Each structure stands twice: as C-alpha cells, then as structure tokens.
Amino acid sequence: MSADDRPPSDPASIPPLWTIAEVERDTGIGKDTLRVWERRYGFPQPQRDAGGNRLYDRIQLDRLRLIRRLLDAGHRPGRVVGLPTPQLQALAQALDAGVAAAGSPTDEVARALAWLRTDRVQELREDLRAALRRHGLAGVVDALVAPLAVQVGLAWQRGELQVYQEHLFTETVQAVLREGLMVAEAASCAARPSVLLTTPPGEVHQLGLLMVQCHLVEAGARCVTLGPSTPLADIAAAAQRMAADVVGLSFSAWAAPRDVVETVQRLRGVMPSGVQLWVGGSGAQRPLKRVRLDGVLLLGHAAEVGAAVRRWRAAQPPAGLRGSSAP
C-alpha cells in the first residue's frame, strides 16, 4: 500500500506535533517568549490538544528555527517574527552570504566543527581541552568557543547538523569550560568583585553566561551563577543575602526591546543600592544604548568584562578606609 492509500486513521499518516516544551528545547526560544509572540505578532499559531495545551507542527517549528537564526544575528523580533517563510529564508541566505564574504573559519574552528559533524565527541572534547591549555579561559572563549558557536548555528540552520548534535556541542563545551573554571576559581575564591550571574525569566540559554564567567574569573573576580531564567525578586534576594558586589544579567537576541528596558528598570529598583547591575547579550545592546539608567553598566562584548572589573576595583576605597565614615 502506498502512502497515499493509507486510511486517515493510520498513525503513520498523522503529521508529527511538538509541545511548547519540545519547541523550547529545539529552538532555545523560551515558552514565555513564544506566548508573547503569539499575542503580539500573531505567530506562532499552535493547535490545541484536548487539554488546551499548545502543539506546533513542522512548518511552524522550521519557521521558528529560521527566526532564531536571524535574531542571533541581530535582527529585532518586531521586524522578523511576523514575516512569511520565504522572506525569512531570503534574510537567512543574505546572512550566509555575509559570513562567506567575511572569510572561512580558522583551522581550529573548522576541525572542531568536523568532529561534531561526525559525532566524534571525545575528539571534540580533547581539542577543546588542548585549546584551553593554549589560550586560557578568556582566550579559548574568544578564539574558539564563540566563533564555533556561530558556525554550529549556521550549520544547524542549513540542515548540516541535527538537533542532537547542537545539544552535544553545548554540553561538551560547557563541561570543558567548567573543568577550567574549577581550577581557576580555586585561586580566586576570596576575590572581589563578587558577581552573581543569571538571566531573567524566559531566557533559557546559559552558554553565554558561562563564557562571561570565564572572562570574569580570568580577571580575578569571584562568580556565583544561578543558571538561567531566575525571577527578579529572587535575583535581588540572592544579591543581598550573598553580599554580591555586582549582578550580571544577559539578554538573548530575541528579547523584545521594551521588555529589556522594563526588566532592567524593575530589577534595579528592587536590588540593594550598593550592588551594581552589569547587563550584556545581543538583545540588550540597542534598547539600553537609548536609555540611561543609574547603576547599570551595558557591556557590548564579553571581552569588555576584564576592563569593567578593573574599573570597579579602581573605584573602591582603600581597605583601611572602608566604613570609616561611620560616626
């Protein structure tokens, strides 16, 4: 019997559907963000099961993957989320052309990508460890991890990598960076500033946080990470109870500009006044450059972290003078 002759009740003839949790894992776009886009832009338009839960078909999943690719490259949600698939594909092709014109990845990046394409995870892990020994924590982020993440995203979007391979990349990189962090942090456990790292609710990516943590630790700061998607009240409470000097917050490219500003304003309003708020990530750049907020430092790139640490230290009073203004 051919596929066209199957009766409608044949399970094999029913198109697959994905839950909102599965879409979040596949695309990295948070559940809250998907719901906001549904209300604000009219996309996605999920089906509902008998219990009212959202279900997404392959067409919507593929379109969301295109959108994620464009947002990672700096496009704003309001400009791309509502576009039809052909226009999204044209924008993605233009991005690929721009990447090609900028030149090929380094041999180090190309080799790591080849290991991933052939599922040779142990070889990828050993290459990452060797690069960590050569470059150091901050150096391996800038020379290998960040450009490799870009190439993995491009290959995934072109269909050259499967979802599981992208997950393997993330897990392997995180494991190797954490190995390096364990060694480096042992030498800076009492250093200042003490930085609390997290993302706001709905932001689920944590590789970016880990890359920033590498720069902070190499600069001699002490880091405590809460992982992604922490409620604002809990961020403020943790900052106070753990005596943090700085809270580091990251926004991904698909964060709505208005939401970024409102989130930063709300968090700044409930945080202890003596705690600085450092904000980074591609989603924060445009909205926070237009709005000046007291006590908020916008970081354009992970490489700026070291300079921010040095400025923080330079602004502190000498140890003998701290607290001397008390009557």
Side-chain angles (χ1 to χ4, degrees):
M1 180 183 291
S2 70
D4 292 336
D5 294 330
R6 289 180 183 137
S9 59
D10 186 341
S13 68
I14 302 174
L17 296 172
W18 285 262
T19 66
I20 193 169
E22 290 170 331
V23 169
E24 180 183 60
R25 286 194 297 270
D26 186 294
T27 66
I29 303 173
K31 299 175 190 176
D32 291 341
T33 300
L34 290 168
R35 296 186 187 104
V36 168
W37 288 358
E38 187 181 328
R39 295 192 303 269
R40 186 174 295 172
Y41 306 119
F43 179 83
Q45 295 178 329
Q47 303 175 34
R48 301 277 182 161
D49 64 14
N53 300 304
R54 291 170 170 81
L55 297 172
Y56 302 80
D57 60 24
R58 166 62 70 179
I59 293 174
Q60 295 196 80
L61 180 61
D62 288 344
R63 187 170 159 188
L64 285 166
R65 294 176 80 181
L66 274 172
I67 290 169
R68 175 198 149 171
R69 163 81 177 90
L70 294 169
L71 295 177
D72 283 347
H75 286 268
R76 296 174 62 182
R79 298 291 180 88
V80 297
V81 173
L83 293 179
T85 299
Q87 287 183 250
L88 294 172
Q89 290 170 333
L91 289 172
Q93 288 168 1
L95 287 176
D96 289 346
V99 170
S104 301
T106 65
D107 291 344
E108 198 172 38
V109 172
R111 176 183 168 91
L113 188 60
W115 292 141
L116 188 63
R117 282 194 171 109
T118 53
D119 300 329
R120 298 174 71 174
V121 179
Q122 186 58 37
E123 287 86 347
L124 174 61
R125 184 179 294 112
E126 291 306 320
D127 269 11
L128 287 166
R129 285 171 174 159
L132 179 61
R133 291 191 293 271
R134 284 195 304 273
H135 299 299
L137 274 172
V140 76
V141 166
D142 295 339
L144 180 54
V145 174
L148 179 57
V150 172
Q151 293 299 321
V152 167
L154 288 171
W156 172 77
Q157 182 57 53
R158 292 192 296 260
E160 298 168 4
L161 291 177
Q162 302 299 311
V163 171
Y164 81 86
Q165 291 171 313
E166 190 193 27
H167 291 183
L168 281 175
F169 158 74
T170 301
E171 292 301 316
T172 304
V173 167
Q174 289 182 163
V176 171
L177 291 182
R178 287 189 175 114
E179 289 174 5
L181 282 167
M182 286 181 65
V183 175
E185 286 177 331
S188 61
C189 59
R192 294 183 71 200
S194 172
V195 184
L196 189 71
L197 288 172
T198 189
T199 67
E203 292 279 355
V204 298
H205 279 298
Q206 53 185 339
L207 181 56
L209 283 180
L210 197 58
M211 291 193 288
V212 171
Q213 186 177 358
C214 289
H215 275 274
L216 283 165
V217 169
E218 189 147 287
R222 179 166 60 92
C223 291
V224 177
T225 179
L226 301 180
S229 198
T230 304
L232 300 187
D234 290 316
I235 297 173
Q240 183 169 19
R241 296 186 64 174
M242 303 183 77
D245 298 307
V246 175
V247 167
L249 203 64
S250 177
F251 290 89
S252 57
W254 50 77
R258 182 177 63 185
D259 293 343
V260 171
V261 174
E262 290 179 355
T263 297
V264 172
Q265 287 175 328
R266 287 175 54 203
L267 181 57
R268 180 67 273 177
V270 297
M271 274 174 41
S273 59
V275 179
Q276 294 185 15
L277 179 56
W278 295 359
V279 184
S282 55
Q285 302 308 309
R286 189 171 297 178
L288 292 186
K289 281 180 180 177
R290 297 197 299 260
V291 179
R292 182 176 179 82
L293 300 173
D294 291 337
V296 177
L297 174 64
L298 177 63
L299 296 174
H301 190 274
E304 298 177 13
V305 166
V309 169
R310 291 190 293 273
R311 287 195 301 270
W312 183 92
R313 288 184 179 138
Q316 304 309 302
L321 299 179
R322 289 174 190 159
S324 61
S325 59

